[in-house]
Amino acid sequence: MYKILLVEDDRAIAQAVCRHITAWGLEIRAAENFRDILGEFLAYQPQLVLLDIALPFFNGYHWCEQIRRVSQVPIIFISSAADNLNIVMAINQGADDFIAKPFDLTVLTAKVQAALRRAYNFAGQTVCLQHNGAVLDVARACLSYQEQRLDLSKNDLRILQVLLENQGSIVSRDTLMQRLWETNSFIDENTLTVNVARLRKKLEGVGLKNFISTKKGLGYVIL
């Protein structure tokens, strides 16, 4: 199920949007900590963000910029400030669409569904996977952490993608080897060990020590 983060400080609007979106079979959460919207984004890991412009502490443009530094998930602005200048600013900040308030909830839902289809049904792979502040951008083959960017090799990317897709669960060595080399031919297990060790060293270089844990005799896990 796709997850949506709604960043809207008007509680009545937020409740109405959440009820309507949920009725259409999507999962949605209204942001609560307007001092740290990026933190809420990283914790919830949504596939789309609905973002107001006028917010407490920092405006929607600020949070759009912050999110765009770590993710390419669709962002749709919803605002009563729907003049041309604000629409242009929103798009320039990285927004995918702009919906003026007051809006029809059915139209909003249709635009959300269309944005999700464009981003995920035709993408062929997940846009990003996140864990404890680390963001894996599959399309760009890179990992971002605390304003640092780590470019990944093909094997680095596949190892991290499989582990993050199954975060919290142990992934067997056989599963990883199958995903890495996509063959039934014999592959020396030491080859996987070397690849994981090399990746761990790279992760430590950007501050992610012990990001990948070994479960002896079972495989690897990201907790």
Side-chain angles (χ1 to χ4, degrees), residues 57-112:
F57 308 111
F58 301 96
N59 65 28
Y61 299 130
H62 170 82
W63 293 121
C64 183
E65 181 183 7
Q66 293 293 306
I67 292 170
R68 276 290 170 260
R69 288 181 179 179
V70 299
S71 174
Q72 293 300 311
V73 300
I75 297 175
I76 299 177
F77 271 90
I78 50 173
S79 175
S80 57
D83 56 276
N84 288 341
L85 177 61
N86 277 297
I87 293 173
V88 170
M89 285 183 63
I91 299 302
N92 286 340
Q93 287 287 344
D96 296 271
D97 204 345
F98 193 109
I99 301 175
K101 294 178 181 176
F103 49 77
D104 184 287
L105 287 170
T106 303
V107 172
L108 173 67
T109 304
K111 283 182 172 284
V112 165

Side-chain angles (χ1 to χ4, degrees), residues 125-129 134-145 148-164 195-206 208 211-212 222:
Q125 55 188 358
T126 307
V127 173
C128 66
L129 296 163
V135 181
L136 176 67
D137 188 327
V138 176
R140 293 192 173 111
C142 68
L143 184 95
S144 301
Y145 181 67
Q148 298 182 82
R149 171 178 166 140
L150 174 63
D151 290 320
L152 303 168
S153 69
K154 181 179 71 173
N155 284 353
D156 292 340
L157 175 63
R158 287 184 177 177
I159 291 169
L160 282 174
Q161 183 176 357
V162 174
L163 292 176
L164 284 169
N195 274 268
V196 172
R198 186 182 299 126
L199 174 57
R200 278 178 167 150
K201 188 172 182 180
K202 292 179 182 178
L203 293 171
E204 288 177 4
V206 295
L208 288 168
F211 192 68
I212 299 173
I222 290 177

Side-chain angles (χ1 to χ4, degrees), residues 1 20 25 36 41 47 71 96 101 136 162 180 216 221:
M1 180 184 293
H20 195 82
D36 188 17
F41 173 86
Q47 280 73 50
S71 174
D96 296 271
K101 294 178 181 176
L136 176 67
V162 174
L180 257 64
K216 193 171 182 180
V221 62

